[in-house]
Amino acid sequence: QYFLFVCFFNELLFFVCRFSLLLLNLEEYYFEQHTANHITNKGCRDERKFRGSLKICSKSIIFEPDDSNQPIIKIPLRDCISIKAPEDNEASNPFTRDTSGGISVVCNQVFLIKERNIIAPYKTVRGRTEHIFQLDVAGKLGDVVQTLHQLYRASCLDKMGDQAAMITAILQSRLARTSFDKNRFQSISETLHMECKAEMVTPLVTNPGHVCVTDANLYFQPLNGYPKPVVQITLQNVRRIYKRRHGLMPLGLEVFCTENDLCSDIYLKFYNYQDRDELYYLIATYIENHITEHTAESYMLQWQRGHISNYQYLLHLNNLADRSCNDLSQYPVFPWIIADYSSSVLDLTKPETFRDLSKPIGALNKERLDRLLKRYQEMPEPKFMYGSHYSSPGYILFYLVRVAPEYMLCLQNGKFDHADRMFNSLAETWKNCLDGATDFKELIPEFYENDSSFLVNSLKLDLGKRQGGKMVEDVELPPWASGPDDFLQKSQEALESQYVSEHLHEWIDLIFGCKQKGGEAVAAHNVFHPLTYEGGVDLNSILDPNEKVALLTQILEFGQTPKQLFTTPHPRRIIPKLRSLSRASSHSVSIAESPVSPNEESFEDLTEESITLAWNNIAKLKLNEQYKIHKEAITGIAVTSNGSSVFTTSQDSTLKMFSKESKTTQRSVSFSNMALSSCLILPGDTTVISSSWDNHIYFYSIAFGRRQDILMGHDDAVSKVCWHDGRLYSASWDSTVKVWHCAPGDTSSNKKHQFELLAELEHDVSVNTIDLNAANTLLASGTKEGTISVWDVAAATVLHQLPCHSGTVFDAAFSPDSRHLLSTGEDSCFKVIDVQTGMLISSLTTDEPQRCFKWDGNTILSGSQSGELLIWDLLGGKVTERIKGHAGAVVSMWMNEQCNSVITGGEDKQIMFWKLQY
């Protein structure tokens, strides 16, 4: 993947035209061009004539000679003394016109650019000079001179705000007189949906024109026809579309035809948010049927589970936080990772090799931080700790000057920075970021990419001479890098290392998360100037145009803090234990894991491998047999440890024992005339516990075939029971979950179970389902009003409570590693919660309610309202397989420990036996 600068620069190298919008000043527009001759020393013996193109821009006149050895001439309008026809005798009016086809421009300053087609600092020619431009089409002279008169008057206004207002008025007048050329449509059958005015945004420049969207294509037609008459994007190719802030205003729209690239296919800025929103709606409506919209939370889940790399995750977060390659004030930001630039070997197993990701750059050096904090405490409101930002246009081009020199020249008025302030050395730059009084910059994505050209002066640019006489050439690399490509390779390895995977969430908290603003930011020493934050200033409330322009310029040059994506602490990444057969290993993701040698593999390791294998092949689940054994819906399924007997509960009030061997119902018992809601078998296969709508819990002895005990523990229906290590957990519609200690009874001696209430977990409404995590330290509960709660079992306290669903929560279950909690509800949604932080990190809307499920943290096997079994790729947000099953809703599901055998129970009164067939 190549970033925009490299692509754009290569395009410029091979483009016949030497002119580019980067020759304009910041906030300047290119209006029109005319074929013309440039005449110098007219009437003299050494008179010369150069053929080329005359460009009329909002703040300058630019002439590009056809002869590439000749310099491009740029005349700032503010430096013009007169603009007139050379043969006109009206001395009293220096701004006149005639029909000779010539324009005389007398000025006191001219810039010469790209002489001999070499990219170099602009040469300035001061003193009075005259330039005559003879247009090929003399009939256009009047309009050209009139335009120059208007633009000259604007350039002479004292205040920048007044200049901007007048130029904007001229631009809008031109746009109003033109419209999109419908002859540019790809097909005559296209239907026009919308047309409006907009500007195409590229780094440092914008280009005004007309946007048009049809039922098949998005078009942009530049007012000036540059760099080509029409930009066309086929809607069928669009994969992502984002609303953007541009110039602190909600006017931007960025369109991507790729899934993972950071650079877009087009970035548009509109003149009002209504046009932007309407175009967004039209395109989003077109693509919504074939594209899953990803949120920061959904990418977080993919990252946590190892399905995307650290690099890919940071790209996605930057994109969602309004960072764009097309906007240098909001360019993607990446962290410094490596702190060792002096060793001959880079050791990624040592923590000291890495930068402390829990601190911003400005807080890494304690001495410097102490000085900054002292100043901060003495500062009047509004306070800030750092006088410069970690990402700004100047910093971006500091890193990229060798591949994007024209951008640097554009930003710095035709000059490169001083040679000693250039990006000369990795070690020097890192040291300055640690020690410098005003240097707090982070890195850019290119440091973790595959194109090392930004480290090499392959264009042989004259970037100046350093103190000591050394010319600025390639970037000096650390001793552990054998060359630029090796440096990038090792940087990538560092970014994907185990240390970074374990700590990257800390840096995300600082840049995109809960430590970006407010008290958390102050505590983390992460406070920048208020104007850098989203919402830090309301430009619409500033009525003075001059103040508005000055403020906007200040903010855009200073840099902007990313849009805040998370307001709670970001969860850690899950570091897989096994390298072999892990789900992450099937993706091209580099994650440092703890290898397990073959002779160290335990039985648990082999079981984990078989489970992974089963889930990877879960789509091969086949129906073996089915039996109708109840008169109503089947609510619970439990299987003895040897798999020979299946116990089921039903709304018909019966508990039944089905023999897999004889394929018959061997026992049927009814405890009351009320429905049974769930069942489980105690260790040892001696007792079945059933919960009932009659508020009771029944203990049934398998060996003696009779009811052994009854626990009358609730004031309403008991909806679900769980068991672990002598403790019974019961959920009820009486708004409680109760924890009981159960001392075993003895049926042969009629000794009853002894029940002791250990805890009562209070809810506001009826509890419909519960689940224990693998370690039995956490309990999740789901209510009839859609609330999910996570409880600390030992302390009997609630850790997190979220209103996840609208309507009843049907089922909830922890992932095998207990990092995530999945729930499904009446609202036809799957929701994923990060257990550590309580953050809702993923929401997946389904076509119909999913009544029950099993999952491995990545893939879901669910039973639907219509009776199908569905297999979901949770990270991809889509159904990968539909399996025909029951004639009514699937309301209960059991899966064995190896995950290769499944039993489902439905409203059609049947149980179905499923088996994986590899």
Side-chain angles (χ1 to χ4, degrees), residues 671-672 674-678 689-699 707 709-719 721 730-732:
F671 303 115
S672 74
M674 298 286 282
L676 298 179
S677 56
S678 71
I689 301 178
S690 301
S691 57
S692 172
W693 285 8
D694 67 3
N695 311 353
H696 300 160
I697 301 166
Y698 296 95
F699 290 70
R707 191 185 78 191
D709 243 320
I710 181 169
L711 173 59
M712 295 178 282
H714 286 277
D715 300 323
D716 204 339
V718 183
S719 53
V721 288
S730 58
S732 171

PDB file of all heavy atoms in Angstrom, residues 671-672 674-678 689-699 707 709-719 721 730-732:
ATOM      1  N   PHE A 671     -43.370 -32.674  38.106  1.00  0.00           N
ATOM      2  CA  PHE A 671     -43.267 -32.210  39.487  1.00  0.00           C
ATOM      3  C   PHE A 671     -44.471 -31.361  39.897  1.00  0.00           C
ATOM      4  O   PHE A 671     -44.803 -31.255  41.062  1.00  0.00           O
ATOM      5  CB  PHE A 671     -41.981 -31.399  39.682  1.00  0.00           C
ATOM      6  CG  PHE A 671     -40.737 -32.162  39.324  1.00  0.00           C
ATOM      7  CD1 PHE A 671     -39.939 -31.762  38.263  1.00  0.00           C
ATOM      8  CD2 PHE A 671     -40.362 -33.293  40.049  1.00  0.00           C
ATOM      9  CE1 PHE A 671     -38.783 -32.469  37.941  1.00  0.00           C
ATOM     10  CE2 PHE A 671     -39.209 -34.002  39.727  1.00  0.00           C
ATOM     11  CZ  PHE A 671     -38.423 -33.591  38.673  1.00  0.00           C
ATOM     12  N   SER A 672     -45.053 -30.664  38.899  1.00  0.00           N
ATOM     13  CA  SER A 672     -46.255 -29.855  39.140  1.00  0.00           C
ATOM     14  C   SER A 672     -46.943 -29.689  37.798  1.00  0.00           C
ATOM     15  O   SER A 672     -46.522 -30.270  36.797  1.00  0.00           O
ATOM     16  CB  SER A 672     -45.895 -28.502  39.746  1.00  0.00           C
ATOM     17  OG  SER A 672     -45.328 -27.657  38.744  1.00  0.00           O
ATOM     18  N   MET A 674     -47.033 -26.873  36.257  1.00  0.00           N
ATOM     19  CA  MET A 674     -46.437 -25.677  35.664  1.00  0.00           C
ATOM     20  C   MET A 674     -45.239 -26.062  34.778  1.00  0.00           C
ATOM     21  O   MET A 674     -44.605 -27.105  34.983  1.00  0.00           O
ATOM     22  CB  MET A 674     -45.967 -24.712  36.757  1.00  0.00           C
ATOM     23  CG  MET A 674     -47.087 -24.208  37.646  1.00  0.00           C
ATOM     24  SD  MET A 674     -48.129 -22.994  36.807  1.00  0.00           S
ATOM     25  CE  MET A 674     -47.098 -21.553  36.917  1.00  0.00           C
ATOM     26  N   ALA A 675     -44.928 -25.195  33.822  1.00  0.00           N
ATOM     27  CA  ALA A 675     -43.827 -25.449  32.889  1.00  0.00           C
ATOM     28  C   ALA A 675     -42.494 -25.532  33.612  1.00  0.00           C
ATOM     29  O   ALA A 675     -42.259 -24.838  34.609  1.00  0.00           O
ATOM     30  CB  ALA A 675     -43.784 -24.340  31.842  1.00  0.00           C
ATOM     31  N   LEU A 676     -41.604 -26.384  33.107  1.00  0.00           N
ATOM     32  CA  LEU A 676     -40.204 -26.413  33.539  1.00  0.00           C
ATOM     33  C   LEU A 676     -39.393 -25.550  32.566  1.00  0.00           C
ATOM     34  O   LEU A 676     -39.663 -25.534  31.362  1.00  0.00           O
ATOM     35  CB  LEU A 676     -39.675 -27.841  33.550  1.00  0.00           C
ATOM     36  CG  LEU A 676     -40.373 -28.809  34.522  1.00  0.00           C
ATOM     37  CD1 LEU A 676     -39.761 -30.209  34.410  1.00  0.00           C
ATOM     38  CD2 LEU A 676     -40.281 -28.297  35.954  1.00  0.00           C
ATOM     39  N   SER A 677     -38.402 -24.847  33.095  1.00  0.00           N
ATOM     40  CA  SER A 677     -37.696 -23.848  32.282  1.00  0.00           C
ATOM     41  C   SER A 677     -36.259 -24.203  31.931  1.00  0.00           C
ATOM     42  O   SER A 677     -35.706 -23.679  30.967  1.00  0.00           O
ATOM     43  CB  SER A 677     -37.708 -22.489  33.003  1.00  0.00           C
ATOM     44  OG  SER A 677     -37.144 -22.623  34.301  1.00  0.00           O
ATOM     45  N   SER A 678     -35.590 -25.062  32.721  1.00  0.00           N
ATOM     46  CA  SER A 678     -34.209 -25.444  32.413  1.00  0.00           C
ATOM     47  C   SER A 678     -33.836 -26.655  33.236  1.00  0.00           C
ATOM     48  O   SER A 678     -34.547 -27.024  34.188  1.00  0.00           O
ATOM     49  CB  SER A 678     -33.235 -24.287  32.718  1.00  0.00           C
ATOM     50  OG  SER A 678     -33.115 -24.087  34.120  1.00  0.00           O
ATOM     51  N   ILE A 689     -31.210 -31.380  38.184  1.00  0.00           N
ATOM     52  CA  ILE A 689     -31.901 -30.237  38.784  1.00  0.00           C
ATOM     53  C   ILE A 689     -32.744 -29.572  37.702  1.00  0.00           C
ATOM     54  O   ILE A 689     -32.259 -29.311  36.593  1.00  0.00           O
ATOM     55  CB  ILE A 689     -30.898 -29.209  39.363  1.00  0.00           C
ATOM     56  CG1 ILE A 689     -30.028 -29.874  40.435  1.00  0.00           C
ATOM     57  CG2 ILE A 689     -31.626 -28.010  39.940  1.00  0.00           C
ATOM     58  CD1 ILE A 689     -28.978 -28.940  41.019  1.00  0.00           C
ATOM     59  N   SER A 690     -34.011 -29.301  38.017  1.00  0.00           N
ATOM     60  CA  SER A 690     -34.921 -28.638  37.081  1.00  0.00           C
ATOM     61  C   SER A 690     -35.506 -27.394  37.732  1.00  0.00           C
ATOM     62  O   SER A 690     -35.877 -27.428  38.918  1.00  0.00           O
ATOM     63  CB  SER A 690     -36.062 -29.570  36.672  1.00  0.00           C
ATOM     64  OG  SER A 690     -35.557 -30.739  36.075  1.00  0.00           O
ATOM     65  N   SER A 691     -35.609 -26.326  36.943  1.00  0.00           N
ATOM     66  CA  SER A 691     -36.250 -25.103  37.435  1.00  0.00           C
ATOM     67  C   SER A 691     -37.650 -25.023  36.855  1.00  0.00           C
ATOM     68  O   SER A 691     -37.913 -25.485  35.745  1.00  0.00           O
ATOM     69  CB  SER A 691     -35.431 -23.875  37.037  1.00  0.00           C
ATOM     70  OG  SER A 691     -35.262 -23.825  35.634  1.00  0.00           O
ATOM     71  N   SER A 692     -38.566 -24.416  37.641  1.00  0.00           N
ATOM     72  CA  SER A 692     -39.970 -24.431  37.238  1.00  0.00           C
ATOM     73  C   SER A 692     -40.607 -23.059  37.352  1.00  0.00           C
ATOM     74  O   SER A 692     -40.176 -22.211  38.142  1.00  0.00           O
ATOM     75  CB  SER A 692     -40.748 -25.420  38.128  1.00  0.00           C
ATOM     76  OG  SER A 692     -42.139 -25.341  37.888  1.00  0.00           O
ATOM     77  N   TRP A 693     -41.670 -22.898  36.551  1.00  0.00           N
ATOM     78  CA  TRP A 693     -42.446 -21.660  36.625  1.00  0.00           C
ATOM     79  C   TRP A 693     -43.280 -21.587  37.913  1.00  0.00           C
ATOM     80  O   TRP A 693     -43.915 -20.573  38.177  1.00  0.00           O
ATOM     81  CB  TRP A 693     -43.383 -21.564  35.410  1.00  0.00           C
ATOM     82  CG  TRP A 693     -42.667 -21.191  34.141  1.00  0.00           C
ATOM     83  CD1 TRP A 693     -41.336 -21.093  33.949  1.00  0.00           C
ATOM     84  CD2 TRP A 693     -43.276 -20.864  32.894  1.00  0.00           C
ATOM     85  NE1 TRP A 693     -41.048 -20.737  32.655  1.00  0.00           N
ATOM     86  CE2 TRP A 693     -42.239 -20.592  31.976  1.00  0.00           C
ATOM     87  CE3 TRP A 693     -44.595 -20.798  32.452  1.00  0.00           C
ATOM     88  CZ2 TRP A 693     -42.472 -20.242  30.652  1.00  0.00           C
ATOM     89  CZ3 TRP A 693     -44.837 -20.456  31.131  1.00  0.00           C
ATOM     90  CH2 TRP A 693     -43.783 -20.166  30.231  1.00  0.00           C
ATOM     91  N   ASP A 694     -43.286 -22.681  38.697  1.00  0.00           N
ATOM     92  CA  ASP A 694     -44.052 -22.642  39.947  1.00  0.00           C
ATOM     93  C   ASP A 694     -43.219 -22.088  41.102  1.00  0.00           C
ATOM     94  O   ASP A 694     -43.570 -22.258  42.275  1.00  0.00           O
ATOM     95  CB  ASP A 694     -44.588 -24.038  40.299  1.00  0.00           C
ATOM     96  CG  ASP A 694     -43.477 -25.035  40.645  1.00  0.00           C
ATOM     97  OD1 ASP A 694     -42.297 -24.633  40.668  1.00  0.00           O
ATOM     98  OD2 ASP A 694     -43.797 -26.208  40.878  1.00  0.00           O
ATOM     99  N   ASN A 695     -42.098 -21.425  40.777  1.00  0.00           N
ATOM    100  CA  ASN A 695     -41.206 -20.739  41.725  1.00  0.00           C
ATOM    101  C   ASN A 695     -40.234 -21.686  42.422  1.00  0.00           C
ATOM    102  O   ASN A 695     -39.459 -21.250  43.266  1.00  0.00           O
ATOM    103  CB  ASN A 695     -41.978 -19.967  42.813  1.00  0.00           C
ATOM    104  CG  ASN A 695     -43.068 -19.087  42.270  1.00  0.00           C
ATOM    105  OD1 ASN A 695     -43.209 -18.922  41.066  1.00  0.00           O
ATOM    106  ND2 ASN A 695     -43.864 -18.492  43.161  1.00  0.00           N
ATOM    107  N   HIS A 696     -40.261 -22.965  42.081  1.00  0.00           N
ATOM    108  CA  HIS A 696     -39.468 -23.964  42.784  1.00  0.00           C
ATOM    109  C   HIS A 696     -38.358 -24.536  41.901  1.00  0.00           C
ATOM    110  O   HIS A 696     -38.403 -24.437  40.674  1.00  0.00           O
ATOM    111  CB  HIS A 696     -40.368 -25.116  43.264  1.00  0.00           C
ATOM    112  CG  HIS A 696     -41.454 -24.678  44.192  1.00  0.00           C
ATOM    113  ND1 HIS A 696     -42.588 -25.434  44.419  1.00  0.00           N
ATOM    114  CD2 HIS A 696     -41.596 -23.550  44.932  1.00  0.00           C
ATOM    115  CE1 HIS A 696     -43.382 -24.791  45.274  1.00  0.00           C
ATOM    116  NE2 HIS A 696     -42.798 -23.648  45.591  1.00  0.00           N
ATOM    117  N   ILE A 697     -37.397 -25.172  42.604  1.00  0.00           N
ATOM    118  CA  ILE A 697     -36.312 -25.895  41.943  1.00  0.00           C
ATOM    119  C   ILE A 697     -36.359 -27.330  42.445  1.00  0.00           C
ATOM    120  O   ILE A 697     -36.388 -27.578  43.661  1.00  0.00           O
ATOM    121  CB  ILE A 697     -34.944 -25.248  42.248  1.00  0.00           C
ATOM    122  CG1 ILE A 697     -34.927 -23.787  41.769  1.00  0.00           C
ATOM    123  CG2 ILE A 697     -33.814 -26.049  41.592  1.00  0.00           C
ATOM    124  CD1 ILE A 697     -33.778 -22.978  42.311  1.00  0.00           C
ATOM    125  N   TYR A 698     -36.357 -28.295  41.509  1.00  0.00           N
ATOM    126  CA  TYR A 698     -36.534 -29.697  41.867  1.00  0.00           C
ATOM    127  C   TYR A 698     -35.242 -30.479  41.645  1.00  0.00           C
ATOM    128  O   TYR A 698     -34.553 -30.296  40.639  1.00  0.00           O
ATOM    129  CB  TYR A 698     -37.657 -30.315  41.021  1.00  0.00           C
ATOM    130  CG  TYR A 698     -39.006 -29.685  41.300  1.00  0.00           C
ATOM    131  CD1 TYR A 698     -39.487 -28.645  40.504  1.00  0.00           C
ATOM    132  CD2 TYR A 698     -39.791 -30.129  42.363  1.00  0.00           C
ATOM    133  CE1 TYR A 698     -40.708 -28.057  40.759  1.00  0.00           C
ATOM    134  CE2 TYR A 698     -41.028 -29.546  42.629  1.00  0.00           C
ATOM    135  CZ  TYR A 698     -41.485 -28.510  41.827  1.00  0.00           C
ATOM    136  OH  TYR A 698     -42.698 -27.927  42.094  1.00  0.00           O
ATOM    137  N   PHE A 699     -34.964 -31.372  42.610  1.00  0.00           N
ATOM    138  CA  PHE A 699     -33.804 -32.263  42.539  1.00  0.00           C
ATOM    139  C   PHE A 699     -34.324 -33.668  42.273  1.00  0.00           C
ATOM    140  O   PHE A 699     -35.110 -34.213  43.074  1.00  0.00           O
ATOM    141  CB  PHE A 699     -33.013 -32.223  43.839  1.00  0.00           C
ATOM    142  CG  PHE A 699     -32.282 -30.925  44.075  1.00  0.00           C
ATOM    143  CD1 PHE A 699     -32.976 -29.758  44.370  1.00  0.00           C
ATOM    144  CD2 PHE A 699     -30.898 -30.864  44.000  1.00  0.00           C
ATOM    145  CE1 PHE A 699     -32.310 -28.569  44.583  1.00  0.00           C
ATOM    146  CE2 PHE A 699     -30.226 -29.681  44.209  1.00  0.00           C
ATOM    147  CZ  PHE A 699     -30.936 -28.513  44.501  1.00  0.00           C
ATOM    148  N   ARG A 707     -38.209 -37.856  42.765  1.00  0.00           N
ATOM    149  CA  ARG A 707     -37.837 -36.523  43.259  1.00  0.00           C
ATOM    150  C   ARG A 707     -37.138 -36.681  44.602  1.00  0.00           C
ATOM    151  O   ARG A 707     -37.650 -37.322  45.509  1.00  0.00           O
ATOM    152  CB  ARG A 707     -39.085 -35.653  43.422  1.00  0.00           C
ATOM    153  CG  ARG A 707     -38.748 -34.187  43.667  1.00  0.00           C
ATOM    154  CD  ARG A 707     -39.995 -33.370  43.942  1.00  0.00           C
ATOM    155  NE  ARG A 707     -40.454 -33.586  45.318  1.00  0.00           N
ATOM    156  CZ  ARG A 707     -41.625 -33.182  45.788  1.00  0.00           C
ATOM    157  NH1 ARG A 707     -42.483 -32.594  44.972  1.00  0.00           N
ATOM    158  NH2 ARG A 707     -41.962 -33.407  47.047  1.00  0.00           N
ATOM    159  N   ASP A 709     -35.526 -33.805  46.202  1.00  0.00           N
ATOM    160  CA  ASP A 709     -35.614 -32.598  47.030  1.00  0.00           C
ATOM    161  C   ASP A 709     -36.326 -31.497  46.271  1.00  0.00           C
ATOM    162  O   ASP A 709     -36.470 -31.561  45.034  1.00  0.00           O
ATOM    163  CB  ASP A 709     -34.199 -32.101  47.389  1.00  0.00           C
ATOM    164  CG  ASP A 709     -33.953 -32.159  48.885  1.00  0.00           C
ATOM    165  OD1 ASP A 709     -34.879 -31.820  49.642  1.00  0.00           O
ATOM    166  OD2 ASP A 709     -32.835 -32.550  49.275  1.00  0.00           O
ATOM    167  N   ILE A 710     -36.719 -30.472  47.022  1.00  0.00           N
ATOM    168  CA  ILE A 710     -37.345 -29.299  46.425  1.00  0.00           C
ATOM    169  C   ILE A 710     -36.840 -28.057  47.143  1.00  0.00           C
ATOM    170  O   ILE A 710     -36.741 -28.046  48.381  1.00  0.00           O
ATOM    171  CB  ILE A 710     -38.893 -29.400  46.494  1.00  0.00           C
ATOM    172  CG1 ILE A 710     -39.541 -28.178  45.849  1.00  0.00           C
ATOM    173  CG2 ILE A 710     -39.376 -29.563  47.940  1.00  0.00           C
ATOM    174  CD1 ILE A 710     -41.051 -28.341  45.660  1.00  0.00           C
ATOM    175  N   LEU A 711     -36.454 -27.054  46.367  1.00  0.00           N
ATOM    176  CA  LEU A 711     -36.002 -25.775  46.927  1.00  0.00           C
ATOM    177  C   LEU A 711     -37.025 -24.714  46.561  1.00  0.00           C
ATOM    178  O   LEU A 711     -37.210 -24.391  45.392  1.00  0.00           O
ATOM    179  CB  LEU A 711     -34.612 -25.407  46.370  1.00  0.00           C
ATOM    180  CG  LEU A 711     -34.066 -24.015  46.723  1.00  0.00           C
ATOM    181  CD1 LEU A 711     -33.957 -23.833  48.229  1.00  0.00           C
ATOM    182  CD2 LEU A 711     -32.693 -23.798  46.065  1.00  0.00           C
ATOM    183  N   MET A 712     -37.705 -24.211  47.587  1.00  0.00           N
ATOM    184  CA  MET A 712     -38.712 -23.165  47.359  1.00  0.00           C
ATOM    185  C   MET A 712     -38.049 -21.822  47.643  1.00  0.00           C
ATOM    186  O   MET A 712     -38.169 -21.276  48.747  1.00  0.00           O
ATOM    187  CB  MET A 712     -39.930 -23.404  48.261  1.00  0.00           C
ATOM    188  CG  MET A 712     -40.657 -24.696  47.912  1.00  0.00           C
ATOM    189  SD  MET A 712     -42.073 -25.069  48.962  1.00  0.00           S
ATOM    190  CE  MET A 712     -41.244 -25.695  50.426  1.00  0.00           C
ATOM    191  N   GLY A 713     -37.317 -21.333  46.645  1.00  0.00           N
ATOM    192  CA  GLY A 713     -36.432 -20.202  46.912  1.00  0.00           C
ATOM    193  C   GLY A 713     -36.817 -18.880  46.294  1.00  0.00           C
ATOM    194  O   GLY A 713     -36.135 -17.876  46.522  1.00  0.00           O
ATOM    195  N   HIS A 714     -37.897 -18.862  45.480  1.00  0.00           N
ATOM    196  CA  HIS A 714     -38.225 -17.610  44.787  1.00  0.00           C
ATOM    197  C   HIS A 714     -39.709 -17.273  44.914  1.00  0.00           C
ATOM    198  O   HIS A 714     -40.524 -18.126  45.303  1.00  0.00           O
ATOM    199  CB  HIS A 714     -37.827 -17.721  43.313  1.00  0.00           C
ATOM    200  CG  HIS A 714     -36.344 -17.652  43.086  1.00  0.00           C
ATOM    201  ND1 HIS A 714     -35.659 -16.473  43.016  1.00  0.00           N
ATOM    202  CD2 HIS A 714     -35.410 -18.644  42.932  1.00  0.00           C
ATOM    203  CE1 HIS A 714     -34.365 -16.719  42.809  1.00  0.00           C
ATOM    204  NE2 HIS A 714     -34.195 -18.043  42.760  1.00  0.00           N
ATOM    205  N   ASP A 715     -40.035 -16.029  44.562  1.00  0.00           N
ATOM    206  CA  ASP A 715     -41.416 -15.539  44.638  1.00  0.00           C
ATOM    207  C   ASP A 715     -42.079 -15.469  43.269  1.00  0.00           C
ATOM    208  O   ASP A 715     -43.209 -14.981  43.149  1.00  0.00           O
ATOM    209  CB  ASP A 715     -41.443 -14.139  45.275  1.00  0.00           C
ATOM    210  CG  ASP A 715     -40.879 -14.151  46.682  1.00  0.00           C
ATOM    211  OD1 ASP A 715     -41.114 -15.145  47.400  1.00  0.00           O
ATOM    212  OD2 ASP A 715     -40.175 -13.187  47.054  1.00  0.00           O
ATOM    213  N   ASP A 716     -41.377 -15.924  42.242  1.00  0.00           N
ATOM    214  CA  ASP A 716     -41.946 -15.976  40.896  1.00  0.00           C
ATOM    215  C   ASP A 716     -41.212 -17.073  40.145  1.00  0.00           C
ATOM    216  O   ASP A 716     -40.310 -17.719  40.682  1.00  0.00           O
ATOM    217  CB  ASP A 716     -41.805 -14.609  40.205  1.00  0.00           C
ATOM    218  CG  ASP A 716     -42.841 -14.392  39.102  1.00  0.00           C
ATOM    219  OD1 ASP A 716     -43.383 -15.403  38.599  1.00  0.00           O
ATOM    220  OD2 ASP A 716     -43.085 -13.224  38.737  1.00  0.00           O
ATOM    221  N   ALA A 717     -41.569 -17.258  38.893  1.00  0.00           N
ATOM    222  CA  ALA A 717     -41.001 -18.338  38.098  1.00  0.00           C
ATOM    223  C   ALA A 717     -39.477 -18.323  38.107  1.00  0.00           C
ATOM    224  O   ALA A 717     -38.848 -17.264  38.024  1.00  0.00           O
ATOM    225  CB  ALA A 717     -41.512 -18.238  36.663  1.00  0.00           C
ATOM    226  N   VAL A 718     -38.879 -19.519  38.223  1.00  0.00           N
ATOM    227  CA  VAL A 718     -37.434 -19.665  38.107  1.00  0.00           C
ATOM    228  C   VAL A 718     -37.126 -19.901  36.627  1.00  0.00           C
ATOM    229  O   VAL A 718     -37.649 -20.831  36.012  1.00  0.00           O
ATOM    230  CB  VAL A 718     -36.918 -20.845  38.956  1.00  0.00           C
ATOM    231  CG1 VAL A 718     -35.398 -20.935  38.863  1.00  0.00           C
ATOM    232  CG2 VAL A 718     -37.356 -20.687  40.410  1.00  0.00           C
ATOM    233  N   SER A 719     -36.309 -19.045  36.056  1.00  0.00           N
ATOM    234  CA  SER A 719     -36.087 -19.065  34.605  1.00  0.00           C
ATOM    235  C   SER A 719     -34.860 -19.858  34.174  1.00  0.00           C
ATOM    236  O   SER A 719     -34.808 -20.384  33.068  1.00  0.00           O
ATOM    237  CB  SER A 719     -35.980 -17.630  34.075  1.00  0.00           C
ATOM    238  OG  SER A 719     -35.002 -16.906  34.812  1.00  0.00           O
ATOM    239  N   VAL A 721     -31.105 -22.149  35.819  1.00  0.00           N
ATOM    240  CA  VAL A 721     -30.217 -22.530  36.914  1.00  0.00           C
ATOM    241  C   VAL A 721     -28.840 -22.872  36.360  1.00  0.00           C
ATOM    242  O   VAL A 721     -28.706 -23.351  35.237  1.00  0.00           O
ATOM    243  CB  VAL A 721     -30.772 -23.731  37.717  1.00  0.00           C
ATOM    244  CG1 VAL A 721     -31.956 -23.317  38.564  1.00  0.00           C
ATOM    245  CG2 VAL A 721     -31.120 -24.899  36.799  1.00  0.00           C
ATOM    246  N   SER A 730     -29.576 -19.482  40.781  1.00  0.00           N
ATOM    247  CA  SER A 730     -30.940 -19.531  40.234  1.00  0.00           C
ATOM    248  C   SER A 730     -31.415 -18.134  39.856  1.00  0.00           C
ATOM    249  O   SER A 730     -31.309 -17.192  40.648  1.00  0.00           O
ATOM    250  CB  SER A 730     -31.897 -20.156  41.251  1.00  0.00           C
ATOM    251  OG  SER A 730     -31.898 -19.437  42.471  1.00  0.00           O
ATOM    252  N   ALA A 731     -31.929 -18.016  38.633  1.00  0.00           N
ATOM    253  CA  ALA A 731     -32.467 -16.744  38.141  1.00  0.00           C
ATOM    254  C   ALA A 731     -33.985 -16.817  38.156  1.00  0.00           C
ATOM    255  O   ALA A 731     -34.571 -17.874  37.887  1.00  0.00           O
ATOM    256  CB  ALA A 731     -31.974 -16.479  36.723  1.00  0.00           C
ATOM    257  N   SER A 732     -34.622 -15.692  38.445  1.00  0.00           N
ATOM    258  CA  SER A 732     -36.081 -15.727  38.585  1.00  0.00           C
ATOM    259  C   SER A 732     -36.721 -14.448  38.063  1.00  0.00           C
ATOM    260  O   SER A 732     -36.098 -13.382  37.998  1.00  0.00           O
ATOM    261  CB  SER A 732     -36.455 -15.919  40.060  1.00  0.00           C
ATOM    262  OG  SER A 732     -37.842 -15.743  40.260  1.00  0.00           O
TER     263      SER A 732
END
